[in-house]
Amino acid sequence: MKANQAVNLTVNTIAGNSGVYFGNQNIAIGVSSHSKSNSVIGSIGSQNLVYRNINLIYDPDVIDTPIDDRDIHVFAPHYQHSAPNVLNTRVNDIQCETITQNSGVFIGETRITGLDAHQKENIAYGQTYGHVNQSKGNLNIAYDPDVVDALIDDRDVKSGVFVAAPEPPVVAQRTLNTDS
């Protein structure tokens, strides 16, 4: 990308733990997403008729979707010894229709560590998008008698130093004389 180049961005969907990144240095460590979904009818767009359906989810699992995400995220220091390399970008327009959890459009230096997203869904009748949709005479049942349902044990230790100066910063100190 050339310096001072105008950017026009159009994105339909940025799904979980995803992103669009603009910058010279983008660092994303430990981004994870886990999901389990039971769907009878998923997503419905525009101009649809859903008529006289029986939608049933029957999910009698004893243990359903245990998630163990105990990652250790370590990022080594980055020492910047010279002037930063600056990317000048003009953003004319950003259009994004849907941004889901832990997602986004990031402009500039981006340093993200350890985004997590865990999800379990039972959807007898999914999401309806758009316009001119009709839903008539439907029966939706979700039956989910789990003994343990979507146990999530996420004990991450997230730390890291993203940018370090070449030398420790100088702290100005002043001693006040209170003996008068």
Side-chain angles (χ1 to χ4, degrees), residues 105-175:
V105 176
F106 306 96
I107 299 174
E109 283 194 16
T110 305
R111 298 190 174 140
I112 299 172
T113 183
L115 288 178
D116 288 317
H118 309 290
Q119 177 177 334
K120 191 233 179 196
E121 293 179 319
N122 288 327
I123 303 170
Y125 187 99
Q127 298 174 336
T128 303
Y129 299 101
H131 59 285
V132 193
N133 289 303
Q134 295 182 32
S135 178
K136 296 179 181 181
N138 298 298
L139 175 63
N140 305 302
I141 300 170
Y143 181 70
D144 187 20
D146 297 329
V147 174
V148 177
D149 193 1
L151 177 65
I152 299 169
D153 184 2
D154 186 7
R155 299 183 212 179
D156 293 342
V157 175
K158 301 168 187 161
S159 62
V161 177
F162 291 121
V163 174
E167 300 174 11
V170 177
V171 178
Q173 294 182 351
R174 183 174 135 187
T175 304

